[in-house]
Amino acid sequence: MTRDLRLAPVTADNIEAAIAVKVRPDQERFVSPVVRSLAEAYVHPTTAWPRLVLDGDRPVGFLMAFLDIDWDGEGVDFRSGLWRLNVASDAQGRGVGRFAVESVATEIRHRGGTKMYVTWEPGEDGPEGFYRRLGFRLTGEKSEGETVGVLDLTPVPS
């Protein structure tokens, strides 16, 4: 288990380190490369929340949350959740992914959210088991061909 995990905003000083985060080759079909996520964050600056996951000063992952997006484009259903998660191949199995998910959940709670959504590409050896072990349940929805999961969040004590 990694002990010194923290999040850092992606900046000019660490963008190359963020882009260098690579998942295992057999996982590449399940997640977009970090550079694509950063491009999407650039064009969605009000809803994208990209962060580099560091173990001390070493980059071990990248996450991007979506915050208060208009889910169906009708101005009624606004959702927040995990948009992307890339854990460096040599850092997997050490709690980095769990830390990333918990960090997004904390951010959503602080913003008043009570649910956290995630989507994943279905397939053998895909991330569904990971998300289900963390408590996400299937919604029965698809988003651009991906499975949608939701996690109920306990409110932040006042």
Side-chain angles (χ1 to χ4, degrees):
M1 180 73 159
T2 305
R3 299 278 182 226
D4 194 20
L5 293 174
R6 63 186 174 89
L7 297 183
V10 178
T11 66
D13 292 333
N14 65 18
I15 190 169
E16 292 299 327
I19 292 170
V21 171
K22 305 286 188 219
V23 298
R24 293 189 330 245
D26 63 308
Q27 297 170 328
E28 290 174 351
R29 73 182 188 101
F30 294 108
V31 65
S32 293
V34 173
V35 70
R36 178 184 170 113
S37 296
L38 292 173
E40 289 174 326
Y42 177 79
V43 298
H44 299 287
T46 60
T47 56
W49 193 70
R51 294 293 185 268
L52 186 59
V53 182
L54 300 168
D55 182 2
D57 291 330
R58 180 176 166 252
V60 292
F62 170 85
L63 69 82
M64 187 163 72
F66 58 90
L67 300 169
D68 298 320
I69 65 163
D70 186 355
W71 188 255
D72 56 11
E74 296 183 13
V76 178
D77 185 9
F78 290 86
R79 297 183 184 185
S80 297
L82 182 62
W83 191 350
R84 297 278 163 65
L85 176 58
N86 303 60
V87 176
S89 59
D90 63 347
Q92 293 184 15
R94 296 183 11 226
V96 174
R98 176 180 289 275
F99 170 80
V101 170
E102 290 171 354
S103 296
V104 172
T106 297
E107 182 66 21
I108 292 169
R109 279 188 198 99
H110 284 307
R111 293 170 179 253
T114 59
K115 293 185 183 306
M116 177 178 169
Y117 290 85
V118 66
T119 63
W120 61 82
E121 182 75 30
E124 191 172 332
D125 299 324
E128 180 172 351
F130 167 74
Y131 291 121
R132 299 292 298 265
R133 284 189 299 278
L134 292 178
F136 285 89
R137 59 185 165 74
L138 301 174
T139 66
E141 301 169 282
K142 292 282 188 184
S143 176
E144 298 178 3
E146 294 190 348
T147 302
V148 180
V150 64
L151 179 68
D152 294 316
L153 303 177
T154 56
V156 174
S158 45

